[in-house]
């Protein structure tokens, strides 16, 4: 079967201690069974609006769906 996930937004992501010049660039990783999808990176937003849709083909009702917010730091390092 097919599972469609519509990612709308995140609100109030935690502030990261990056000094005065750092910013965070969040994105969402969705895992369904063995398949992963990722939203676009939203630069400098603690309340990102994605409005993106993802399709997982072959999904079953036994599959676990995991949503992880990750952030790219201005230094190019990933932070979860």
């Amino acid at each position: 079967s097919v599972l469609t996930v519509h990612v709308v937004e995140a609100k109030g992501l935690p502030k990261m201690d990056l000094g005065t010049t750092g910013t965070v660039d969040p994105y969402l990783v969705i895992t369904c069974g063995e398949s992963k999808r990722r939203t676009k990176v939203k630069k400098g937003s603690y309340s990102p609006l994605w409005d993106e849709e993802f399709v997982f083909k072959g999904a079953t009702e036994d599959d676990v769906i995991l949503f992880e917010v990750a952030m790219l730091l201005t230094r190019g390092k990933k932070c979860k």
Side-chain angles (χ1 to χ4, degrees):
S1 63
V2 175
L3 171 67
T4 302
V5 175
H6 185 186
V7 177
V8 179
E9 65 185 328
K11 291 185 179 181
L13 295 177
K15 304 275 188 227
M16 305 298 288
D17 184 12
L18 301 173
T20 58
T21 60
T23 62
V24 291
D25 304 324
Y27 61 94
L28 185 71
V29 177
I30 306 118
T31 305
C32 178
E34 299 296 318
S35 299
K36 282 190 178 186
R37 306 287 187 276
R38 180 180 139 167
T39 65
K40 294 177 183 173
V41 174
K42 294 297 181 177
K43 295 192 179 278
S45 178
Y46 291 98
S47 295
L49 175 63
W50 287 291
D51 194 25
E52 296 181 43
E53 195 168 273
F54 300 92
V55 175
F56 293 89
K57 294 181 179 177
T60 70
E61 61 184 47
D62 294 326
D63 285 338
V64 173
I65 302 170
L66 178 64
F67 297 88
E68 297 175 276
V69 175
M71 296 186 203
L72 294 177
L73 306 178
T74 54
R75 297 179 199 99
K77 297 179 181 176
K78 185 170 86 169
C79 177
K80 285 188 179 181

